[in-house]
Amino acid sequence: MKNLIVGQSGGPTAVINSSLYGVVKTALDCPEIDKVYGMQNGIEGFLKGTILDFEEALPGDKLELLKTTPGAYLGSCRYMLPDDLDDETYPKLFAKLEELEIAYFLYNGGNDSMDTVSKISRYAERVGSDIKVLGVPKTIDNDLVMTDHTPGFPSAARYVANTVREIVTDASVYETPAVTIIEIMGRHAGWLTAASALARRFEGDAPYLIYLPEVDFDLDDFVKRVEALLKDHNAVVVCVSEGINDADGKFICEYDSATGVDSFGHKMLAGAGKFLENLLRDKLGCKARSVEFNVSQRCSSALMSKTDQEEAIMAGRFGVESALQGETGYMIAFDRVSDYKIECSLQDVNKICNEEKKVPASMICDDGTDITQEFIDYCAPLIKGNVEVPTGEDGLPLFAYRTK
Amino acid sequence: MKNLIVGQSGGPTAVINSSLYGVVKTALDCPEIDKVYGMQNGIEGFLKGTILDFEEALPGDKLELLKTTPGAYLGSCRYMLPDDLDDETYPKLFAKLEELEIAYFLYNGGNDSMDTVSKISRYAERVGSDIKVLGVPKTIDNDLVMTDHTPGFPSAARYVANTVREIVTDASVYETPAVTIIEIMGRHAGWLTAASALARRFEGDAPYLIYLPEVDFDLDDFVKRVEALLKDHNAVVVCVSEGINDADGKFICEYDSATGVDSFGHKMLAGAGKFLENLLRDKLGCKARSVEFNVSQRCSSALMSKTDQEEAIMAGRFGVESALQGETGYMIAFDRVSDYKIECSLQDVNKICNEEKKVPASMICDDGTDITQEFIDYCAPLIKGNVEVPTGEDGLPLFAYRTK
């Protein structure tokens, strides 16, 4: 018997379950694979013995719902395997894998999940296990190296572009000048914030300033630029990454928490957007508000990108096919072979797991307040295509859920 | 010549332009009406002379785009006409209306806009003008009296229900206990926050607590309830109105600003959700985050309710038909004639403009932490139906814009 097990780890995305679908559907259709298992709550849950059998959990057509279900159907974890391959966790883990007669191990996640793939594949090699271990990438942060982009980023980028356009539309209805600061996810890499540029309908349209963590953020310069913009525009919309930081590397969102306490003495923790909103109101006396995109940017099914969904499924399918061909220790990567066509390839997971891909200088304007055409050309194809989400009679989307 | 003019005022909604479409389309198709004008930025803009002609601004099929364009196509204002009908503004205003040969005046907005309709219709009566003045309602707050509900509320409610469900799905992926506080618009009326109950898939599902401004909010009781919930659930999701307030009527969001200053000495202004997040972290030492739904709940085109869109268009159409029949001084209202069928009626705008409809006690649970089945029965039909938003090749929605 040769069984397959798949797990999910790290923060959810709109299409991580599309990748899961790609894995499970391919594996179920494959005569060489017998059982298709899912680990609940990633490797941490697996070590506790919580698994499910997909034929029982999502029989027949129910599996299709995975393609439009945000979150992580299998549940997630933020558990790192020990660095030391001599740790007792590994024999325990492999005993469980053997017990379940697992021949193929696929793990769906970001950087930390690729670290798990790296460790398990290296341990397998060391003990002479012929289990095939592969990583299927996902992260809205788009910060994995050796791949054109990561599944999950395009849908998040589509959410950002769409929602920024809607907010600009909303903000433009009044004649009273006002500033709207939109805070977008991205602690160290600004890919998702950069996608706000796609909201523009014409050259010079809002957002007027785009700040990424890759560039030192200067408070005084920011205030001056907004002051100048307020002279020409009534709706000044600015997009910032949550991780914007000053020349010393200090996060702008930490400026608050240094001494900020509320009237009850609780330490105030607010975001970079909220801080800048208060700063502008204080320095310029202008109307200002901030909007934090928060979790919706990673779990909106309504704004899922069709391109993203198809590629996420393809990555899952390619993972299973590669495992069957005997490949191990790789992450499924995307190569852009033409504009726009993506093909899957295998990349050494050990070279990926501890790296972080930032937005390159060539995609950022010289003054650090906008992105260049190179980024637009890179990102624009990713957000194309609507996905119709199955909706119940109650007007709410139908998602796939594990029964407890 | 008999011309019609229409304006928009107050905060935008997802379907205020659907109502505008209903007005303009009906008027353009109507042989009794010659020109169809729009006032830009409401009555304030009209007084400055900024108007447009719809046949030039949105010729042919372009008009159709209004049906899926959020924001306020004509621009908005927050301008109140003088209470004193002897004020010089009125003769000035009426001179402009006469100059444009306006026979029908339709104004699309919330409470304050109905105040404008009241004043203009009363002034018309006083000076013996036979101009017909009618109000077409909109507000996501659903706080207008003498109508079953207001256009704009259903789409916002659909956004809330969908997005809460997605956030619950996202929050449920981890096993580590954590609290998510979702802050929803509604300063005085909790209708929109109540709609979060529609996110539940089964009895006892998240959100576990729902707090409206109609009920006195007690901090200690809140902390105790969350503490108890954390014993049974890993993802404790709570929904609060932005306007929750204590027994003295003090807004919870004001607890912050009393002494809260950041490290630069700027006064901190955060929302109720952010305050409660910090409170829980401090009191219970638990993981906590807050999500503020912000402007997207009123301008999301992707989650527009089909029911809302159709009713908004119907209200606009009924407004024009009523004006043609000689009616004046009314607001178009919705009567629920069966479950579920809406018919339009005319209600005295003078009785509406200074009232505010709150969520009645019968729709709120006795302990004030949830809503009752009566609310579900009331709200559930409103959020039904998907609207397909025309999308450009770039993957972004196509909206109608005024050319500057």
Side-chain angles (χ1 to χ4, degrees):
Chain A
M1 285 232 297
K2 286 191 164 190
N3 300 329
L4 178 144
I5 195 160
V6 56
Q8 296 175 313
S9 178
T13 76
V15 300
I16 185 169
N17 291 325
S18 294
S19 286
L20 183 64
Y21 172 84
V23 169
V24 175
K25 177 76 177 157
T26 310
L28 287 173
D29 288 349
C30 177
E32 295 102 310
I33 296 171
D34 190 32
K35 289 277 180 192
V36 182
Y37 295 116
M39 45 190 116
Q40 299 187 39
N41 294 104
I43 196 72
E44 189 176 17
F46 180 71
L47 286 165
K48 289 185 204 156
T50 52
I51 61 161
L52 58 78
D53 180 328
F54 273 100
E55 276 180 306
E56 290 162 19
L58 291 171
D61 277 356
K62 284 200 173 171
L63 192 68
E64 300 295 315
L65 284 179
L66 280 182
K67 289 190 286 186
T68 45
T69 299
Y73 170 78
L74 286 171
S76 184
C77 68
R78 290 207 183 275
Y79 175 85
M80 297 287 276
L81 283 170
D83 285 334
D84 181 3
L85 295 186
D86 289 325
D87 189 275
E88 57 170 15
T89 307
Y90 292 97
K92 225 175 95 184
L93 176 65
F94 271 67
K96 277 182 190 289
L97 291 170
E98 254 170 57
E99 191 189 314
L100 289 166
E101 303 185 60
I102 303 295
Y104 312 107
F105 181 105
L106 275 86
Y107 210 52
N108 193 189
N111 269 308
D112 291 348
S113 309
M114 294 311 133
D115 179 78
T116 298
V117 172
S118 162
K119 285 167 179 165
I120 296 180
S121 62
R122 283 186 284 126
Y123 184 83
E125 195 186 348
R126 180 202 274 209
V127 298
S129 158
D130 64 354
I131 189 170
K132 307 306 172 203
V133 187
L134 292 171
V136 180
K138 73 84 216 171
T139 165
I140 63 161
D141 292 331
N142 201 37
D143 60 351
L144 295 179
V145 296
M146 302 174 77
T147 184
D148 181 77
H149 61 277
T150 50
F153 169 67
S155 290
R158 188 162 193 259
Y159 178 90
V160 164
N162 265 263
T163 310
V164 169
R165 181 171 289 185
E166 287 178 339
I167 289 175
V168 170
T169 304
D170 182 281
S172 305
V173 307
Y174 292 113
E175 288 190 302
T176 321
V179 185
T180 303
I181 297 157
I182 300 176
E183 182 186 320
I184 297 165
M185 278 184 177
R187 197 83 175 158
H188 303 292
W191 294 103
L192 202 49
T193 304
S196 65
L198 299 175
R200 292 182 182 134
R201 294 183 300 125
F202 50 85
E203 219 181 296
D205 192 14
Y208 300 118
L209 299 168
I210 298 176
Y211 290 104
L212 315 185
E214 283 83 353
V215 177
D216 295 343
F217 189 84
D218 184 301
L219 286 183
D220 292 333
D221 185 69
F222 168 71
V223 173
K224 266 182 217 151
R225 285 178 189 271
V226 171
E227 192 172 23
L229 283 164
L230 279 166
K231 289 184 181 129
D232 297 324
H233 306 279
N234 58 350
V236 175
V237 178
V238 175
C239 293
V240 303
S241 287
E242 58 170 333
I244 48 168
N245 54 83
D246 64 20
D248 298 326
K250 182 173 176 177
F251 287 119
I252 301 306
C253 63
E254 287 176 347
Y255 279 44
D256 259 358
S257 53
T259 62
V261 285
D262 66 27
S263 48
F264 284 62
H266 310 127
K267 195 169 172 184
M268 285 292 296
L269 291 170
K274 184 57 78 177
F275 176 79
L276 295 178
E277 170 199 329
N278 288 322
L279 178 79
L280 289 177
R281 207 182 287 119
D282 200 62
K283 294 271 186 196
L284 301 178
C286 62
K287 267 190 85 167
R289 65 175 172 185
S290 58
V291 180
E292 192 186 337
F293 273 178
N294 225 307
V295 285
S296 287
Q297 65 201 298
R298 74 179 186 203
C299 67
S300 161
S301 59
L303 290 171
M304 191 182 285
S305 147
K306 181 83 179 155
T307 303
D308 194 20
Q309 187 201 43
E310 289 173 352
E311 291 176 352
I313 295 172
M314 177 172 75
R317 187 170 57 233
F318 191 80
V320 174
E321 291 165 355
S322 302
L324 283 168
Q325 283 159 22
E327 305 288 0
T328 188
Y330 295 110
M331 183 188 85
I332 314 311
F334 287 159
D335 301 332
R336 194 180 297 220
V337 292
S338 71
D339 198 7
Y340 176 80
K341 190 173 185 304
I342 288 293
E343 284 178 3
C344 289
S345 69
L346 297 173
Q347 301 293 338
D348 185 350
V349 76
N350 304 298
K351 291 183 183 154
I352 293 169
C353 58
N354 297 310
E355 298 292 326
E356 200 172 42
K357 186 172 73 179
K358 303 206 172 186
V359 180
S362 59
M363 289 189 180
I364 304 172
C365 285
D366 291 341
D367 67 6
T369 68
D370 205 341
I371 52 88
T372 63
Q373 186 62 35
E374 185 185 332
F375 174 82
I376 302 283
D377 295 340
Y378 164 78
C379 195
L382 309 184
I383 68 163
K384 291 187 183 176
N386 274 324
V387 174
E388 203 176 311
V389 180
T391 304
E393 269 201 26
D394 61 0
L396 287 163
L398 294 170
F399 296 149
Y401 293 97
R402 279 181 289 152
T403 45
K404 305 252 168 172
Chain B
M1 284 233 297
K2 285 190 166 192
N3 300 329
L4 178 144
I5 194 160
V6 56
Q8 297 175 313
S9 178
T13 76
V15 301
I16 186 169
N17 291 324
S18 295
S19 286
L20 183 64
Y21 173 83
V23 169
V24 176
K25 177 76 176 157
T26 310
L28 286 173
D29 288 350
C30 176
E32 294 103 310
I33 296 171
D34 190 31
K35 289 277 180 191
V36 182
Y37 295 116
M39 45 189 115
Q40 299 187 39
N41 295 104
I43 195 73
E44 189 176 16
F46 180 71
L47 286 166
K48 288 184 203 157
T50 52
I51 61 159
L52 58 78
D53 180 328
F54 274 100
E55 275 180 306
E56 290 162 18
L58 291 172
D61 278 355
K62 284 199 175 170
L63 192 67
E64 301 295 315
L65 284 179
L66 280 182
K67 289 190 286 187
T68 45
T69 299
Y73 170 79
L74 287 171
S76 184
C77 69
R78 290 206 183 275
Y79 175 85
M80 297 286 276
L81 282 171
D83 286 332
D84 181 2
L85 295 185
D86 289 325
D87 188 275
E88 57 169 16
T89 307
Y90 292 97
K92 226 176 95 185
L93 175 64
F94 272 68
K96 278 184 189 288
L97 291 170
E98 255 170 58
E99 190 189 315
L100 289 165
E101 302 185 64
I102 303 296
Y104 312 107
F105 181 105
L106 276 84
Y107 210 52
N108 192 190
N111 269 308
D112 291 348
S113 309
M114 294 311 133
D115 180 79
T116 298
V117 172
S118 161
K119 285 166 180 166
I120 296 180
S121 61
R122 283 187 284 127
Y123 185 84
E125 196 186 347
R126 180 200 276 209
V127 297
S129 159
D130 64 356
I131 188 170
K132 308 305 171 203
V133 187
L134 291 171
V136 180
K138 73 84 218 173
T139 165
I140 63 161
D141 292 330
N142 201 36
D143 60 352
L144 294 179
V145 296
M146 301 174 78
T147 184
D148 181 78
H149 61 275
T150 50
F153 169 67
S155 290
R158 189 163 193 260
Y159 178 90
V160 165
N162 264 265
T163 310
V164 169
R165 181 171 288 185
E166 287 178 339
I167 288 175
V168 169
T169 305
D170 182 281
S172 305
V173 307
Y174 292 114
E175 288 191 302
T176 320
V179 185
T180 303
I181 297 157
I182 300 175
E183 182 186 320
I184 297 165
M185 279 184 176
R187 197 84 176 157
H188 304 292
W191 295 103
L192 202 50
T193 304
S196 66
L198 298 175
R200 293 182 182 134
R201 293 183 299 125
F202 50 85
E203 217 182 299
D205 192 15
Y208 300 117
L209 298 168
I210 298 175
Y211 290 105
L212 315 186
E214 283 83 354
V215 177
D216 294 342
F217 189 83
D218 183 301
L219 286 182
D220 292 332
D221 185 71
F222 168 71
V223 172
K224 266 181 219 153
R225 285 177 189 273
V226 171
E227 191 172 23
L229 284 164
L230 279 166
K231 289 185 181 129
D232 297 324
H233 305 279
N234 58 350
V236 175
V237 177
V238 175
C239 293
V240 303
S241 286
E242 59 171 330
I244 49 168
N245 54 83
D246 64 20
D248 298 327
K250 182 173 177 178
F251 287 119
I252 302 305
C253 63
E254 286 176 349
Y255 280 44
D256 259 357
S257 54
T259 63
V261 286
D262 66 25
S263 48
F264 284 63
H266 311 127
K267 196 169 173 185
M268 284 292 296
L269 290 172
K274 185 56 80 179
F275 176 79
L276 295 178
E277 170 198 331
N278 288 322
L279 179 78
L280 289 177
R281 209 183 285 119
D282 199 61
K283 295 272 185 194
L284 301 178
C286 61
K287 267 190 83 166
R289 66 176 172 185
S290 58
V291 180
E292 193 185 335
F293 273 178
N294 226 307
V295 285
S296 287
Q297 63 202 299
R298 74 179 186 204
C299 67
S300 161
S301 59
L303 290 171
M304 191 182 285
S305 147
K306 181 83 178 155
T307 303
D308 194 19
Q309 187 200 44
E310 289 172 353
E311 291 176 352
I313 294 171
M314 177 172 76
R317 187 170 57 234
F318 191 81
V320 175
E321 290 166 355
S322 303
L324 283 169
Q325 283 159 22
E327 306 288 359
T328 190
Y330 295 109
M331 183 188 85
I332 314 310
F334 287 159
D335 302 331
R336 194 180 298 219
V337 291
S338 71
D339 198 7
Y340 175 82
K341 189 172 185 303
I342 288 293
E343 285 179 2
C344 289
S345 69
L346 297 174
Q347 301 293 339
D348 185 348
V349 76
N350 304 298
K351 291 183 182 154
I352 293 170
C353 57
N354 297 310
E355 298 292 326
E356 199 172 40
K357 187 172 73 180
K358 302 206 172 187
V359 179
S362 59
M363 289 189 180
I364 304 172
C365 285
D366 290 342
D367 67 6
T369 68
D370 205 341
I371 52 87
T372 63
Q373 186 61 36
E374 186 185 332
F375 175 82
I376 301 283
D377 295 340
Y378 164 78
C379 194
L382 309 184
I383 68 164
K384 291 188 182 176
N386 274 324
V387 174
E388 204 176 313
V389 180
T391 305
E393 269 201 29
D394 59 1
L396 287 163
L398 294 170
F399 296 149
Y401 293 98
R402 279 181 289 152
T403 46
K404 305 252 169 171

